[in-house]
């Protein structure tokens, strides 16, 4: 890999109106910055992230998930702007791709197009009916001359509909020559990275404009932008999985995390939410079920089931209003209204309606282990820590507090009393 990547992420992101740094806002389960880093890792082994606002927090977040990323802290007081961000950045390869941390929708196809060829600068360009907000690209005789920021445009330049999409691939010697020479003599008193274009043109360097899609290069600046970007990302994720053979009923109502994966014949009904790095194999997730960071194989869930992180369901049926957390269920049926937390349950066992694993005593969590062919009657409370061996019957309404051995019937009920004709004495006869 002979290309370096620089990701600009020092901007403040005021319009996001959040205490969370802009680039850490998530789209389909992954922060915008991580979308950029993941793309960068596909093309480069030399990645530098430029930070300033909340640098420490963002750096820590990156270091929790990635290794080998370089950081450059911009001196943004002294050198504000995208050009200021590049001051002092050192790249190790002969070319550098410069990305923005707030453009999560850029595709690999577009990045590959931008890194091709031998021009001194490849720059991303879009033609827009409404170019406002973008730097305008001045082209003369078919050749790029300069980029003029909107605030610096003379009225005639404002009419230009060819705009700078903000991503560039630049030869190392161009950066070394022109970044130190940038000035801030402009409307915003900022050091503009875009000024390298004019400087390079003046010295006869080659600038190659690469036409890109507006949708991919839209910067996310507000919560509204974030929601729009999420919609686009969701469409892409679902389209890709449907092409890969996943069935979806009313896909517009389904949410799928960018980290989720599917195998074999899967059916997702309307309103389903698949979150985290869930892995779903040959399974049917029914209407309005939520799956989070779970492994589900040859199983069915819902409608209105909830499978929470670190759960593993194999050959299992989970019915309506059943919640499973951090539990392994193999060959189990839990058809209705149950809470199964910190448990493992083995083949042939049936969990009746209203069963609850009492896994938490207010201080600590405890495990419930249930063997094979156990019949847990309705409305049973399993007070953990607890082990139920194979082949046990637990009668409905039992509060189980002690381990059960193979072959046993467990029941804890007060004997039923019957008082003849009480109803008629109390309410009188009609
Ligand atoms: C920039 C371009 C503009 C282009 C637009 C496309 C410049 C001067 N202008 O404008 O021509 O049409 O992108 O979206 O480059 N950043 C820093 N440090 C800073 C300022 C910004 O790291 O001091 C980062 C931001 O976090 C962001 C990126 O650079 O990721 C772009 O900054 P932004 O302010 O969005 O660029 P614009 O001024 O909109
Ligand atoms: Ca700006």
């Amino acid at each position: 890999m002979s290309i370096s990547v620089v990701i600009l992420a020092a901007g403040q992101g005021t319009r996001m109106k959040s205490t969370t740094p802009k680039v850490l806002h998530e789209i389909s389960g992954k922060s915008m910055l991580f979308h950029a880093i993941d793309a960068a890792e596909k093309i480069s082994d030399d990645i530098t992230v430029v930070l300033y606002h909340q640098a420490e927090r963002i750096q820590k977040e990156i270091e929790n998930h990635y290794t080998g990323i370089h950081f450059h802290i911009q001196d943004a007081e002294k050198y504000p702007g995208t050009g200021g961000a590049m001051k002092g950045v050192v790249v190790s390869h002969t070319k550098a791709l410069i990305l923005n941390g707030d453009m999560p929708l850029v595709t690999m196809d577009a990045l590959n197009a931008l890194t091709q060829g031998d021009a001194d600068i490849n720059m991303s360009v879009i033609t827009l009916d409404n170019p406002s907000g973008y730097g305008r690209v001045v082209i003369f005789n078919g050749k790029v001359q300069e980029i003029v920021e909107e605030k610096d445009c003379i009225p005639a330049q404002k009419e230009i509909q060819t705009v700078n999409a903000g991503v560039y691939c630049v030869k190392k010697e161009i950066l070394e020559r022109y970044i130190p020479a940038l000035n801030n003599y402009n409307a915003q008193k900022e050091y503009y990275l875009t000024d390298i274009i004019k400087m390079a043109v003046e010295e006869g360097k080659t600038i190659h404009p690469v036409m890109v899609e507006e949708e991919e290069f839209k910067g996310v600046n507000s919560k509204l932008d974030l929601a729009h970007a999420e919609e686009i990302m969701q469409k892409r994720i679902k389209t890709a999985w449907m092409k890969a053979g996943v069935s979806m009923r009313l896909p517009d109502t389904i949410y799928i995390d960018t980290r989720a994966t599917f195998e074999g014949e899967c059916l997702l009904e309307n309103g389903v939410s698949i979150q985290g790095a869930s892995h779903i194999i040959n399974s049917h997730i029914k209407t309005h079920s939520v799956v989070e960071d779970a492994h589900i194989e040859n199983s069915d869930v819902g409608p209105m089931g909830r499978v929470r992180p670190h759960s593993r369901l194999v050959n299992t049926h989970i019915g309506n209003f059943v919640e499973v957390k951090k539990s392994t269920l193999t060959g189990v049926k839990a058809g209705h209204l149950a809470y199964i937390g910190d448990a493992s349950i083995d083949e042939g066992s049936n969990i009746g309606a209203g069963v609850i694993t009492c896994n938490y005593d207010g201080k600590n969590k405890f495990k419930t282990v249930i063997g094979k062919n156990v019949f847990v009657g309705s409305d049973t409370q399993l007070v953990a820590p607890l082990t139920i061996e194979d082949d046990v019957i637990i009668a409905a309404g039992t509060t189980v507090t002690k381990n059960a051995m193979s072959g046993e019937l467990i029941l804890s009920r007060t004997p039923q009393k019957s008082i003849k004709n009480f109803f008629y004495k109390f309410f009188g006869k009609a």
Side-chain angles (χ1 to χ4, degrees):
M1 290 192 271
S2 59
I3 191 153
S4 296
V5 175
V6 180
I7 301 172
L8 304 183
Q12 189 165 10
T14 324
R15 281 172 286 169
M16 200 55 99
K17 299 209 167 43
S18 173
T19 52
T20 300
K22 173 165 90 168
V23 292
L24 293 187
H25 281 76
E26 288 183 356
I27 292 188
S28 300
K30 186 160 81 175
S31 76
M32 296 200 272
L33 184 55
F34 287 10
H35 281 283
I37 295 175
D38 286 345
E41 284 200 323
K42 290 194 180 122
I43 41 186
S44 180
D45 57 3
D46 175 40
I47 300 165
T48 301
V49 179
V50 180
L51 298 172
Y52 175 69
H53 288 283
Q54 300 198 59
E56 230 170 277
R57 176 168 171 192
I58 300 170
Q59 181 168 344
K60 207 173 265 158
E61 192 67 27
I62 293 172
E63 284 171 340
N64 284 340
H65 291 84
Y66 300 89
T67 51
I69 307 286
H70 308 296
F71 297 95
H72 177 78
I73 309 302
Q74 179 182 358
D75 184 355
E77 301 294 330
K78 214 164 154 195
Y79 298 114
T82 49
M86 290 300 294
K87 274 190 189 279
V89 172
V90 179
V91 300
S92 54
H93 295 301
T94 55
K95 276 184 184 181
L97 179 68
I98 302 171
L99 300 177
N100 290 346
D102 62 357
M103 285 185 183
L105 297 172
V106 176
T107 62
M108 288 314 295
D109 282 351
L111 295 184
N112 288 333
L114 274 157
T115 52
Q116 296 306 306
D118 200 40
D120 293 305
I121 299 175
N122 280 344
M123 58 172 290
S124 54
V125 164
I126 337 169
T127 304
L128 296 176
D129 289 336
N130 173 14
S132 72
Y134 287 91
R136 309 297 204 275
V137 183
V138 179
I139 297 175
F140 185 71
N141 276 345
K143 293 222 158 109
V144 173
Q145 302 300 310
E146 62 175 321
I147 300 171
V148 185
E149 290 308 294
E150 174 156 279
K151 288 185 177 137
D152 300 291
C153 280
I154 55 170
Q157 287 170 331
K158 277 212 174 127
E159 303 300 312
I160 298 174
Q161 290 178 316
T162 306
V163 301
N164 169 27
V167 173
Y168 324 83
C169 185
V170 181
K171 281 191 180 161
K172 183 183 188 173
E173 61 247 34
I174 295 283
L175 292 178
E176 288 173 344
R177 188 166 173 76
Y178 301 117
I179 295 294
L182 291 174
N183 64 50
N184 65 344
Y185 310 151
N186 53 56
Q188 302 186 84
K189 306 256 180 303
E190 284 183 4
Y191 293 81
Y192 292 163
L193 174 58
T194 45
D195 283 350
I196 66 171
I197 303 293
K198 189 177 183 178
M199 293 161 138
V201 167
E202 278 166 5
E203 297 195 335
K205 308 290 186 193
T206 49
I207 318 291
H208 177 59
V210 177
M211 293 302 296
V212 296
E213 299 289 332
E214 181 189 8
E215 179 182 283
E216 293 184 31
F217 285 76
K218 257 210 141 71
V220 171
N221 293 306
S222 65
K223 299 267 167 70
L224 183 65
D225 292 344
L226 195 70
H228 286 324
E230 177 106 277
E231 279 172 14
I232 294 164
M233 185 70 77
Q234 279 299 306
K235 271 232 158 65
R236 287 186 191 170
I237 291 171
K238 287 180 281 190
T239 302
W241 283 118
M242 284 187 277
K243 282 184 178 166
V246 176
S247 302
M248 298 187 200
R249 184 207 280 172
L250 300 182
D252 282 348
T253 66
I254 294 173
Y255 172 88
I256 301 178
D257 191 291
T258 177
R259 295 162 296 174
T261 50
F262 300 86
E263 259 181 73
E265 292 274 332
C266 293
L267 168 58
L268 309 180
E269 292 184 5
N270 48 303
V272 159
S273 182
I274 309 291
Q275 299 166 19
S278 293
H279 188 49
I280 300 180
I281 307 166
N282 294 323
S283 292
H284 182 177
I285 313 297
K286 296 178 190 166
T287 304
H288 293 299
S289 294
V290 178
V291 174
E292 303 163 70
D293 271 311
H295 177 104
I296 299 180
E297 189 174 344
N298 299 326
S299 297
D300 68 276
V301 172
M304 289 158 288
R306 181 167 183 213
V307 184
R308 291 174 50 199
H310 310 297
S311 294
R312 192 181 163 85
L313 312 184
V314 180
N315 301 328
T316 286
H317 162 68
I318 295 294
N320 52 177
F321 305 111
V322 173
E323 174 180 348
V324 180
K325 185 217 91 176
K326 208 176 180 181
S327 296
T328 298
L329 277 59
T330 311
V332 174
K333 286 196 173 81
H336 343 258
L337 297 156
Y339 172 62
I340 300 166
D342 302 301
S344 79
I345 310 178
D346 215 338
E347 310 229 348
S349 290
N350 187 90
I351 306 297
V355 169
I356 293 170
T357 53
C358 307
N359 61 326
Y360 184 49
D361 65 2
K363 281 190 189 168
N364 296 301
K365 303 265 166 77
F366 300 97
K367 286 208 70 172
T368 300
V369 178
I370 298 176
K372 295 188 169 72
N373 306 317
V374 173
F375 181 87
V376 183
S378 297
D379 194 29
T380 290
Q381 298 96 52
L382 300 158
V383 182
L386 196 63
T387 300
I388 311 292
E389 292 183 356
D390 297 348
D391 307 329
V392 168
I393 300 175
I394 299 171
T398 297
T399 302
V400 187
T401 53
K402 286 181 281 191
N403 293 344
M405 308 222 302
S406 281
E408 287 181 332
L409 164 71
I410 308 293
L411 81 169
S412 68
R413 286 182 190 160
T414 49
Q416 183 173 322
K417 271 190 219 164
S418 302
I419 301 171
K420 291 242 179 314
N421 291 320
F422 181 90
F423 181 95
Y424 304 113
K425 281 181 204 152
F426 193 73
F427 288 114
K429 241 177 178 163

